[in-house]
């Protein structure tokens, strides 16, 4: 088996806005937004429709990712808030989490600019398909539980914290594959594939998947392939991914939002019977060796090889919890300290029951963390990074 971790396929520059319910409420009033028009599914063509979508997610306490007609909408909205510029994309955030433990990785990037050069940790190297510098920022909105947004039509209150992503990113939509990817994969112990969800041209997607197939020919046969699902802008495109990659995917990950999209119904995440039924249903749709669902309460893997990933699952939950309580700036010591925190009892009850109900299932309860300033951005990405700790070369913790 190879020794490097190769993470892809596309990185982003993120504009993380600091949530301010008063600003959001004033925008709702300014645009005359009514509660009856809140929806998460309408096209986002301007700032008004962006605010409509944000409020619709907040009222349900839900998270998601949506396409915006223009990057100018993202910049216009972000300019109203205190905003931090960070690096995103599942592979990049997973790599940053691994860097906190002294674990290097190789990134596959599709865009580059001075923000990437400035913010990428020194332990991360990259191959890139970009031929010039571009900047198409992703708007990241995270809101806390219990936030109240007041406007002319009353008020809404979020039942839980969550994060939203809005973007118009041509390089990630094109997802060009770097010619050097195959060589990078030749010494890989694990390969993370994510990012195809933003593509909107089916013929181009098919071409990229064919190019990825060619690069995968150089991946060692015993290397782990982890595919992380995401909010597909065109949901049926997921089937094109499966046609090419299912025979090679070892672990297929998704969060609760994606689980519910696939089973086309709400899932009560604290009802073991409902969870078990949803897991079996989505595994029938996506028949991989290990299908992994990570949520705020638990992470559970189902499939014939699920049991071999118990330690990786524990590390993944620990990494996501560390980011939740401390944000990006955590250390290896912080990561180890998280393991000593109490577990979520309700999540543990679900795990125990589902493990007994479905042969071969393994699960891990989330941690019970009380913080006034939770970080909901990038938890799934850090979860993936934590999972890959188990497949990394010998690390030297930065204690």
């Amino acid at each position: 088996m190879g020794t490097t971790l190769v993470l892809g396929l596309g990185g982003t520059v993120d504009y993380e806005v600091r949530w301010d319910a008063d600003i959001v409420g004033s925008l709702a009033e300014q645009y005359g937004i009514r509660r009856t028009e809140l929806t998460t599914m309408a096209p986002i063509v301007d700032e008004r429709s962006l605010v409509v979508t944000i409020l619709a997610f907040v009222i349900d306490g839900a998270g998601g990712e949506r396409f915006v007609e223009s990057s100018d909408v993202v910049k216009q909205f972000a300019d109203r808030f205190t905003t931090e510029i960070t690096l995103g994309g599942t592979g990049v955030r997973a790599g940053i989490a691994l860097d906190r433990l002294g674990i290097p990785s190789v990134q596959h990037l599709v865009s580059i600019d001075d923000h990437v050069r400035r913010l990428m940790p020194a332990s991360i190297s990259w191959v890139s398909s970009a031929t010039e510098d571009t900047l198409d920022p992703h708007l990241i909105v995270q809101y806390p539980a219990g936030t109240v947004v007041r406007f002319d039509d009353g008020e809404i209150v979020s039942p839980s914290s969550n994060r939203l992503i809005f973007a118009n990113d041509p390089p990630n939509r094109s997802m060009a594959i770097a010619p050097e990817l195959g060589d990078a994969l030749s010494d890989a112990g694990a390969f993370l594939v994510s990012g195809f969800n933003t593509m909107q041209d089916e013929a181009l997607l098919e071409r990229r998947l064919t190019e990825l197939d060619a690069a995968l020919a150089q991946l060692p046969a015993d290397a782990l392939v982890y595919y992380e699902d995401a909010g597909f802008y065109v949901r049926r495109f997921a089937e094109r991914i499966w046609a090419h990659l299912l025979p090679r995917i070892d672990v297929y990950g998704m969060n609760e939002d994606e689980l519910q999209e696939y089973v086309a119904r709400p899932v009560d995440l604290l009802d073991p019977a409902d969870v078990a039924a949803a897991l079996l249903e989505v595994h029938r749709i996506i028949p991989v060796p290990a299908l992994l669902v990570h949520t705020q309460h638990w992470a559970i893997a189902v499939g014939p090889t699920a049991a071999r990933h118990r330690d990786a699952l524990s590390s993944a939950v620990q990494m996501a919890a560390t980011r939740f309580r401390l944000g990006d700036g955590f250390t290896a010591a912080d990561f180890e300290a998280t393991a000593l925190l109490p577990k979520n009892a309700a999540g543990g009850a679900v795990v125990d029951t589902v493990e007994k109900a479905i042969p071969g299932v393994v699960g891990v309860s989330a941690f019970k963390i009380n913080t006034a300033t939770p970080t909901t951005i990038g938890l799934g990405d850090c979860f993936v990074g934590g999972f890959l700790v188990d497949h990394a070369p010998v690390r030297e913790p930065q204690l």
Side-chain angles (χ1 to χ4, degrees), residues 107-227:
Q107 296 286 336
H108 178 280
L109 301 177
V110 296
S111 59
I112 191 78
D113 77 336
D114 285 341
H115 292 306
V116 176
R117 298 184 186 96
R118 173 175 58 90
L119 295 172
M120 194 75 82
S123 73
I124 297 178
S125 58
W126 63 78
V127 297
S128 175
S129 60
T131 58
E132 61 182 356
D133 280 23
T134 55
L135 175 60
D136 296 282
H138 290 217
L139 173 68
I140 312 294
V141 179
Q142 60 175 346
Y143 59 87
T147 190
V148 180
V149 181
R150 296 181 176 88
F151 50 105
D152 285 345
D153 204 21
E155 67 179 32
I156 62 173
V157 183
S158 65
S160 61
S161 60
N162 222 313
R163 68 94 180 97
L164 309 171
I165 303 173
F166 302 96
N168 183 327
D169 187 338
N172 274 281
R173 216 159 53 243
S174 177
M175 198 58 72
I177 305 298
E180 301 85 2
L181 178 59
D183 289 341
L185 291 177
S186 65
D187 189 38
F191 178 37
L192 167 66
V193 180
S194 186
F196 282 124
N197 62 299
T198 62
M199 295 191 70
Q200 294 174 293
D201 181 320
E202 191 164 9
L204 184 58
L205 172 61
E206 186 68 26
R207 199 165 100 207
R208 298 307 186 218
L209 287 166
T210 299
E211 292 167 356
L212 182 60
D213 289 339
L216 281 167
Q218 297 190 55
L219 184 71
D222 56 355
L224 178 103
V225 175
Y226 186 119
Y227 181 87

Side-chain angles (χ1 to χ4, degrees), residues 16 27 45 67 99 103-104 135 158 169 174 238 248 298 341 389:
E16 297 185 18
L27 285 171
V45 298
F67 175 73
D99 171 75
I103 299 172
L135 175 60
S158 65
D169 187 338
S174 177
R248 193 61 182 88
W298 44 260
L341 297 175
V389 168

Side-chain angles (χ1 to χ4, degrees), residues 296-333:
Q296 60 185 309
H297 306 293
W298 44 260
I300 297 176
V302 59
T305 67
R308 72 179 61 167
H309 300 296
R310 183 182 293 277
D311 289 346
L313 206 58
S314 294
S315 175
V317 170
Q318 186 175 334
M319 185 76 87
T322 305
R323 178 172 174 79
F324 180 82
R325 69 188 185 92
L326 296 171
D328 255 338
F330 65 85
T331 66

Side-chain angles (χ1 to χ4, degrees), residues 12 71 76 85 88 106 132 149 172-173 188 214 223 261 292 315 338 379:
T12 66
S71 289
Q76 179 185 0
I85 298 176
V106 178
E132 61 182 356
V149 181
N172 274 281
R173 216 159 53 243
E261 283 190 38
L292 194 169
S315 175
T338 297
L379 296 184

Side-chain angles (χ1 to χ4, degrees), residues 10-32:
T12 66
V13 172
D14 292 347
Y15 285 6
E16 297 185 18
V17 302
R18 183 179 299 169
W19 178 258
D20 188 319
D22 291 337
I23 295 177
V24 177
S26 67
L27 285 171
E29 290 182 4
Q30 174 185 327
Y31 288 123

